[in-house]
Every structure is written in structure tokens, then in C-alpha cells.
Amino acid sequence: MLATGSALEFRDVVRSFPQRGGADLVAITDITFAVRSKEFVAIVGPSGCGKSTILNLTAGLDQPTAGSVHVSGEQVKGPNAHVGFMLQKDLLLPWRSIVRNVEFGLEARPVSRKERRERALSELQRCKLEAFANHYPYQLSGGMRQRAALARTLAIRPDIVLLDEPFSALDAQTKMLLQKSFGQTIAESGVTTLLITHDLAEAVAMSDRILVMSDRPGRLIEEIHVDLPDRNNPIARRSHPRAGQLITRLFELLKLDERVA
Ligand SMILES: Nc1ncnc2c1ncn2[C@@H]1O[C@H](COP(=O)(O)OP(=O)(O)OP(=O)(O)O)[C@@H](O)[C@H]1O
Ligand SMILES: [Mg+2]
């Protein structure tokens, strides 16, 4: 039985894709889970198991073949303002300044020009980028660009933020610093978060709960509660004595010692 009042619910979701001249490809099946408001949930699983499919369904960019997806109690029928989506590539528009990039998502909404600017600047401040508001994307480092992309995602004031491998293109140290700044910004803004990552230490460092998926057709095989303190300080969490045990458990569930790249 699912909790009522969840920020997000998947109920018996299946997504299969027709294939030319063959049986349908079942990407995910039997997916049922709920996410509480303000909870931070990570999803890990082998490549091709349907992680991005879950995010696309949450964002309303795709529809389930069977079952249903509910955001804030309403069934998702298409893209909507409750959900903000951030991809691995920052997708900042090179010809717009950073503040105008952050404003971009608000332009299609009934928000005045003045309020648009105020919101964009306050999100930039929260992401510690206010000094770069008038810079252009090419003038920012990779980590700063990802922070700007997060500011843009938060500026629409979504209930849920979807992060699809947001740090995977960055070097190891930038990645850790960015996990910390995302952790703080997300905790401050009070959004519900769904993070996809291949980095098991990142999942443990950042989330309240980790959903582990099987190979395709992707199913949920385990749910791990990350009972560590300091969710908004991923760097501190990494050195917590229990962090290593949780990572080892994920490693076993994903059978990493039996796989080849
Ligand atoms: N629009 C589509 N049409 C056909 N097949 C698709 C489509 N989208 C996804 N798939 C297939 O569904 C499966 C799951 O894809 P998905 O991108 O969700 O996996 P993933 O877990 O995000 O993988 P990765 O870790 O490599 O990003 C894959 O086999 C993929 O080829
Ligand atoms: Mg993916």
C-alpha cells in the first residue's frame, strides 16, 4: 500500500518500446514506489535498465505502457510545472548571460519581467553564482555551469527535481565539491529530489534512500535506507564509518565483480 500525500508515486508501471520486426523491448516492469515530500532518493542500476525512462515518465515526457505515475497526487499526463529536469549536459544557451539563462524557463510562464529577474538572481545567490550573473556560459567552469543549470531548474519552483547523472562529466574533486553545493542548495530549497547515478559513493553521500534496479527489464530489487547523518554535507558523509558498508552492499546487489565493461 502506498502512502497517501506522496510527492511522487509509481504504481505498477511498465514501459515497453515497439521494435521493428520483433517483440517489444520491455525497458521497465513492475515499478512501484513512492517518494515523500523533501525526500532525496537515488536510483542506481546497470546501464540500460531504465533509469532515464523513470525520469522521463516522472517529467511527463513519456507515458507508461501500463500503470500510472502521480506527482503531488495528480496523474502525470504530460510535461508540467511541478517537475524540473536537469541533465548531464547543462544545456545552457551560449548566447545568453547566466542570469538570462536562469530566466529562460520562466519566460513561458505568467511571471512579470521584474519578478523573473528577482527570482533568477535569488536562485543564483543560493547557488553562489551571483557574481557571475552577467557572464556567459563559456566564461564559467564545468562545475559552475552545472550550478547555473541547477539554478535554472529551481527558478521554476518545482516540487520535484530530477537529476540524471549531473556530475558524471566532471573530474573527481569538482564532483565532490559540486555534490556538496547541490546537497546544500537542495536542502535549503526544500524540493523533493530523484537522482540517477552510476557512482555508488555519490548515491550514499547524497540521498535518504537508494532504489536499486536489476538488468533490463528493469525492476526494483532493493531499497536501501541511508541512515547516515548530515544529508546536506555529502563530503562529511563519505568518511562516515558506515558509508563503506552501504557502498559494499550496493556493489554486491549490482554484482559488479561479475560484470565486464
Ligand atoms: N524512445 C525509446 N525508443 C526505444 N527504446 C528506448 C527508448 N528509450 C529508451 N529505450 C530503451 O529502453 C532501455 C532503457 O533505457 P534508459 O535510457 O532508460 O536506460 P538507463 O538505465 O538510463 O541507461 P544508462 O545508464 O545507460 O543511461 C534501453 O534498452 C533503451 O534502449
Ligand atoms: Mg540514462
Side-chain angles (χ1 to χ4, degrees):
M1 189 66 192
L2 290 170
T4 50
S6 303
L8 170 65
E9 282 186 31
F10 270 61
R11 296 184 190 158
D12 301 316
V13 172
V14 179
R15 178 63 170 118
S16 51
F17 296 100
Q19 292 192 108
R20 212 181 299 171
D24 289 357
L25 179 146
V26 183
I28 54 173
T29 189
D30 213 7
I31 300 285
T32 295
F33 66 92
V35 180
R36 290 190 311 280
S37 178
K38 301 190 184 183
E39 197 179 11
F40 193 127
V41 172
I43 301 180
V44 301
S47 191
C49 75
K51 301 178 297 295
S52 296
T53 300
I54 288 180
L55 293 199
N56 289 336
L57 294 168
T58 305
L61 299 172
D62 188 17
Q63 292 296 319
T65 310
S68 58
V69 178
H70 303 256
V71 167
S72 306
E74 280 173 41
Q75 189 168 350
V76 177
K77 302 276 191 195
N80 65 81
H82 296 297
V83 182
F85 203 158
M86 193 186 137
L87 303 172
Q88 178 187 347
K89 246 177 127 321
D90 59 57
L91 304 176
L92 295 173
L93 302 170
W95 59 89
R96 282 187 165 225
S97 64
I98 295 302
V99 67
R100 295 205 59 233
N101 263 289
V102 176
E103 286 177 352
F104 184 70
L106 295 171
E107 288 171 8
R109 295 178 192 216
V111 176
S112 70
R113 187 186 288 244
K114 181 166 169 285
E115 193 188 335
R116 218 157 57 208
R117 181 56 55 104
E118 282 169 7
R119 273 212 221 173
L121 289 173
S122 93
E123 288 308 333
L124 283 173
Q125 196 165 19
R126 186 148 49 195
C127 295
K128 305 205 169 42
L129 279 175
E130 65 275 25
F132 295 87
N134 295 315
H135 284 57
Y136 284 80
Y138 77 90
Q139 297 173 302
L140 270 57
S141 68
M144 290 160 86
R145 290 171 63 114
Q146 289 305 84
R147 275 169 26 222
L150 179 65
R152 184 182 54 190
T153 307
L154 292 174
I156 61 163
R157 301 207 175 137
D159 302 325
I160 303 183
V161 167
L162 308 177
L163 304 172
D164 199 345
E165 304 188 45
F167 315 120
S168 57
L170 301 164
D171 68 83
Q173 283 174 30
T174 304
K175 195 175 180 178
M176 284 206 270
L177 293 173
L178 211 55
Q179 287 163 358
K180 182 173 159 194
S181 86
F182 269 51
Q184 286 165 350
T185 304
I186 283 168
E188 255 179 50
S189 65
V191 287
T192 306
T193 309
L194 213 49
L195 166 77
I196 288 184
T197 181
H198 283 280
D199 180 338
L200 305 181
E202 176 174 299
V204 169
M206 296 198 72
S207 66
D208 297 312
R209 192 150 57 100
I210 303 171
L211 303 179
V212 185
M213 295 180 70
S214 68
D215 278 306
R216 196 180 66 228
R219 301 167 190 270
L220 296 178
I221 52 170
E222 181 106 6
E223 177 187 1
I224 294 186
H225 287 271
V226 184
D227 50 350
L228 303 180
D230 289 331
R231 195 198 85 188
N232 57 3
N233 189 350
I235 290 183
R237 265 193 171 193
R238 277 173 185 269
S239 48
H240 193 283
R242 276 206 311 280
Q245 292 166 12
L246 291 168
I247 295 168
T248 305
R249 176 84 188 114
L250 290 170
F251 189 93
E252 288 164 0
L253 285 165
L254 296 170
K255 302 191 178 81
L256 286 183
D257 57 344
E258 294 168 22
R259 286 178 194 274
V260 285

